[in-house]
Amino acid sequence: MSTEQETETPMVEIRNVYKRFGDLEVLKGIDLTVNRGKIISIIGPSGSGKSTLLRSVNHLEVIDKGTILLDGVQVNRPDMKGLAFERHINHIRQNMVFQHFNLFPHLSTIDNVTLAPRKLKGMDKKIARELGMELLNRVGLAEKADVFPNWLSGGQKQRVAIARALAMEPKVMLFDEATSALDPELVEEVNLVMRGLADEHMTMLIVTHEMGFARDVSDWAMFMDGGVVVEECTPEKLFSNPDQERTRNFLRKHLGDNH
């Protein structure tokens, strides 16, 4: 995935990561390198470990074994305890943010977007509002700034959630099935925002069931099943000529018999 010219530190490194829930081992030695400005799509059946992997990258799940690094800094630090570790993880999460659908219902759209930079970064309220308006404009929702979430459609809520994540000026964006809860006609408006981020070279890890989107936007694609990486390669190869029978069977179900 890397080229000889890309000698800088990878933005995300996942090395030999294991995770279990009780007797169920859901990640079995995952390795992945994500270079700066690259978009990685992760596909696979339900229960394959995709979401657990993404949550582990942001330390929303604590891995049992392995190493995860963000821009050269180790995320999981078993040597660090208490307040020092809490500060470390808060710093990591400011730089590597999940897109979350769940907006605060009692806050307006603009207040949802600006809450984190004001509270976590101490940003002046006026400056935060200017930033928030710029981001809402970027996702096509500036006119909804003072509207409360209950008055927004599902697609609009998801776009606000993306603007809220961008307000922290993250190094990496993590998307876990960003369009799965949306009606089909709303999916494309969210995909358009994500395509815009891709055009701006935002580093992104995307778990998705939208195969066409993954094929069109990604620099690298990974198929997971049973907690392991079955196959990873360019999206062109993965979606048109995969090597593994498990990959072919999965794509056949999702893309038709021509795969």
PDB file of all heavy atoms in Angstrom, residues 212-225:
ATOM      1  N   GLY A 212     -20.351   0.078  -3.539  1.00  0.00           N
ATOM      2  CA  GLY A 212     -20.006   1.013  -4.608  1.00  0.00           C
ATOM      3  C   GLY A 212     -19.233   2.200  -4.083  1.00  0.00           C
ATOM      4  O   GLY A 212     -18.251   2.652  -4.694  1.00  0.00           O
ATOM      5  N   PHE A 213     -19.647   2.703  -2.932  1.00  0.00           N
ATOM      6  CA  PHE A 213     -18.956   3.824  -2.305  1.00  0.00           C
ATOM      7  C   PHE A 213     -17.531   3.427  -1.933  1.00  0.00           C
ATOM      8  O   PHE A 213     -16.573   4.151  -2.200  1.00  0.00           O
ATOM      9  CB  PHE A 213     -19.730   4.272  -1.066  1.00  0.00           C
ATOM     10  CG  PHE A 213     -19.084   5.390  -0.308  1.00  0.00           C
ATOM     11  CD1 PHE A 213     -19.159   6.697  -0.775  1.00  0.00           C
ATOM     12  CD2 PHE A 213     -18.400   5.146   0.865  1.00  0.00           C
ATOM     13  CE1 PHE A 213     -18.557   7.739  -0.071  1.00  0.00           C
ATOM     14  CE2 PHE A 213     -17.799   6.165   1.571  1.00  0.00           C
ATOM     15  CZ  PHE A 213     -17.882   7.476   1.093  1.00  0.00           C
ATOM     16  N   ALA A 214     -17.379   2.257  -1.315  1.00  0.00           N
ATOM     17  CA  ALA A 214     -16.048   1.782  -0.930  1.00  0.00           C
ATOM     18  C   ALA A 214     -15.151   1.632  -2.146  1.00  0.00           C
ATOM     19  O   ALA A 214     -13.967   2.006  -2.120  1.00  0.00           O
ATOM     20  CB  ALA A 214     -16.170   0.447  -0.194  1.00  0.00           C
ATOM     21  N   ARG A 215     -15.691   1.126  -3.217  1.00  0.00           N
ATOM     22  CA  ARG A 215     -14.904   0.919  -4.446  1.00  0.00           C
ATOM     23  C   ARG A 215     -14.469   2.247  -5.053  1.00  0.00           C
ATOM     24  O   ARG A 215     -13.340   2.395  -5.521  1.00  0.00           O
ATOM     25  CB  ARG A 215     -15.751   0.123  -5.446  1.00  0.00           C
ATOM     26  CG  ARG A 215     -15.045  -0.196  -6.763  1.00  0.00           C
ATOM     27  CD  ARG A 215     -15.910  -1.130  -7.589  1.00  0.00           C
ATOM     28  NE  ARG A 215     -17.291  -0.654  -7.647  1.00  0.00           N
ATOM     29  CZ  ARG A 215     -18.348  -1.427  -7.884  1.00  0.00           C
ATOM     30  NH1 ARG A 215     -18.185  -2.727  -8.057  1.00  0.00           N
ATOM     31  NH2 ARG A 215     -19.555  -0.933  -7.936  1.00  0.00           N
ATOM     32  N   ASP A 216     -15.362   3.238  -5.006  1.00  0.00           N
ATOM     33  CA  ASP A 216     -15.082   4.514  -5.672  1.00  0.00           C
ATOM     34  C   ASP A 216     -14.149   5.420  -4.877  1.00  0.00           C
ATOM     35  O   ASP A 216     -13.371   6.186  -5.457  1.00  0.00           O
ATOM     36  CB  ASP A 216     -16.394   5.275  -5.921  1.00  0.00           C
ATOM     37  CG  ASP A 216     -17.284   4.567  -6.930  1.00  0.00           C
ATOM     38  OD1 ASP A 216     -16.794   3.659  -7.620  1.00  0.00           O
ATOM     39  OD2 ASP A 216     -18.480   4.918  -6.992  1.00  0.00           O
ATOM     40  N   VAL A 217     -14.225   5.367  -3.543  1.00  0.00           N
ATOM     41  CA  VAL A 217     -13.568   6.369  -2.701  1.00  0.00           C
ATOM     42  C   VAL A 217     -12.244   5.885  -2.113  1.00  0.00           C
ATOM     43  O   VAL A 217     -11.335   6.681  -1.888  1.00  0.00           O
ATOM     44  CB  VAL A 217     -14.526   6.818  -1.569  1.00  0.00           C
ATOM     45  CG1 VAL A 217     -13.816   7.663  -0.534  1.00  0.00           C
ATOM     46  CG2 VAL A 217     -15.703   7.590  -2.155  1.00  0.00           C
ATOM     47  N   SER A 218     -12.119   4.585  -1.896  1.00  0.00           N
ATOM     48  CA  SER A 218     -10.996   4.072  -1.109  1.00  0.00           C
ATOM     49  C   SER A 218      -9.683   4.025  -1.887  1.00  0.00           C
ATOM     50  O   SER A 218      -9.659   3.848  -3.108  1.00  0.00           O
ATOM     51  CB  SER A 218     -11.308   2.656  -0.616  1.00  0.00           C
ATOM     52  OG  SER A 218     -12.545   2.612   0.032  1.00  0.00           O
ATOM     53  N   ASP A 219      -8.587   4.134  -1.131  1.00  0.00           N
ATOM     54  CA  ASP A 219      -7.264   3.849  -1.665  1.00  0.00           C
ATOM     55  C   ASP A 219      -6.885   2.388  -1.437  1.00  0.00           C
ATOM     56  O   ASP A 219      -6.036   1.836  -2.140  1.00  0.00           O
ATOM     57  CB  ASP A 219      -6.212   4.734  -0.972  1.00  0.00           C
ATOM     58  CG  ASP A 219      -6.457   6.207  -1.228  1.00  0.00           C
ATOM     59  OD1 ASP A 219      -6.334   6.629  -2.386  1.00  0.00           O
ATOM     60  OD2 ASP A 219      -6.789   6.933  -0.263  1.00  0.00           O
ATOM     61  N   TRP A 220      -7.513   1.790  -0.421  1.00  0.00           N
ATOM     62  CA  TRP A 220      -7.195   0.414  -0.035  1.00  0.00           C
ATOM     63  C   TRP A 220      -8.449  -0.200   0.544  1.00  0.00           C
ATOM     64  O   TRP A 220      -9.234   0.498   1.188  1.00  0.00           O
ATOM     65  CB  TRP A 220      -6.076   0.423   1.019  1.00  0.00           C
ATOM     66  CG  TRP A 220      -5.364  -0.878   1.240  1.00  0.00           C
ATOM     67  CD1 TRP A 220      -5.441  -1.672   2.356  1.00  0.00           C
ATOM     68  CD2 TRP A 220      -4.442  -1.526   0.364  1.00  0.00           C
ATOM     69  NE1 TRP A 220      -4.610  -2.769   2.213  1.00  0.00           N
ATOM     70  CE2 TRP A 220      -3.988  -2.703   0.999  1.00  0.00           C
ATOM     71  CE3 TRP A 220      -3.952  -1.219  -0.908  1.00  0.00           C
ATOM     72  CZ2 TRP A 220      -3.077  -3.573   0.411  1.00  0.00           C
ATOM     73  CZ3 TRP A 220      -3.042  -2.080  -1.499  1.00  0.00           C
ATOM     74  CH2 TRP A 220      -2.612  -3.248  -0.842  1.00  0.00           C
ATOM     75  N   ALA A 221      -8.679  -1.465   0.311  1.00  0.00           N
ATOM     76  CA  ALA A 221      -9.881  -2.137   0.812  1.00  0.00           C
ATOM     77  C   ALA A 221      -9.492  -3.428   1.504  1.00  0.00           C
ATOM     78  O   ALA A 221      -8.556  -4.119   1.089  1.00  0.00           O
ATOM     79  CB  ALA A 221     -10.851  -2.416  -0.334  1.00  0.00           C
ATOM     80  N   MET A 222     -10.232  -3.743   2.561  1.00  0.00           N
ATOM     81  CA  MET A 222      -9.922  -4.895   3.388  1.00  0.00           C
ATOM     82  C   MET A 222     -11.204  -5.677   3.652  1.00  0.00           C
ATOM     83  O   MET A 222     -12.214  -5.101   4.038  1.00  0.00           O
ATOM     84  CB  MET A 222      -9.315  -4.394   4.708  1.00  0.00           C
ATOM     85  CG  MET A 222      -8.707  -5.443   5.587  1.00  0.00           C
ATOM     86  SD  MET A 222      -7.660  -4.678   6.857  1.00  0.00           S
ATOM     87  CE  MET A 222      -8.843  -4.433   8.159  1.00  0.00           C
ATOM     88  N   PHE A 223     -11.149  -6.984   3.420  1.00  0.00           N
ATOM     89  CA  PHE A 223     -12.288  -7.854   3.713  1.00  0.00           C
ATOM     90  C   PHE A 223     -11.979  -8.660   4.959  1.00  0.00           C
ATOM     91  O   PHE A 223     -10.975  -9.372   5.033  1.00  0.00           O
ATOM     92  CB  PHE A 223     -12.570  -8.792   2.534  1.00  0.00           C
ATOM     93  CG  PHE A 223     -13.609  -9.837   2.839  1.00  0.00           C
ATOM     94  CD1 PHE A 223     -14.920  -9.474   3.114  1.00  0.00           C
ATOM     95  CD2 PHE A 223     -13.286 -11.183   2.865  1.00  0.00           C
ATOM     96  CE1 PHE A 223     -15.886 -10.431   3.406  1.00  0.00           C
ATOM     97  CE2 PHE A 223     -14.240 -12.153   3.147  1.00  0.00           C
ATOM     98  CZ  PHE A 223     -15.543 -11.773   3.421  1.00  0.00           C
ATOM     99  N   MET A 224     -12.841  -8.522   5.985  1.00  0.00           N
ATOM    100  CA  MET A 224     -12.698  -9.255   7.233  1.00  0.00           C
ATOM    101  C   MET A 224     -13.803 -10.294   7.371  1.00  0.00           C
ATOM    102  O   MET A 224     -14.938 -10.067   6.951  1.00  0.00           O
ATOM    103  CB  MET A 224     -12.755  -8.307   8.434  1.00  0.00           C
ATOM    104  CG  MET A 224     -11.533  -7.444   8.615  1.00  0.00           C
ATOM    105  SD  MET A 224     -11.634  -6.419  10.125  1.00  0.00           S
ATOM    106  CE  MET A 224     -11.597  -7.686  11.413  1.00  0.00           C
ATOM    107  N   ASP A 225     -13.458 -11.413   7.987  1.00  0.00           N
ATOM    108  CA  ASP A 225     -14.453 -12.425   8.310  1.00  0.00           C
ATOM    109  C   ASP A 225     -13.895 -13.262   9.462  1.00  0.00           C
ATOM    110  O   ASP A 225     -12.708 -13.612   9.463  1.00  0.00           O
ATOM    111  CB  ASP A 225     -14.744 -13.319   7.103  1.00  0.00           C
ATOM    112  CG  ASP A 225     -15.986 -14.177   7.299  1.00  0.00           C
ATOM    113  OD1 ASP A 225     -16.738 -13.931   8.268  1.00  0.00           O
ATOM    114  OD2 ASP A 225     -16.208 -15.095   6.493  1.00  0.00           O
TER     115      ASP A 225
END
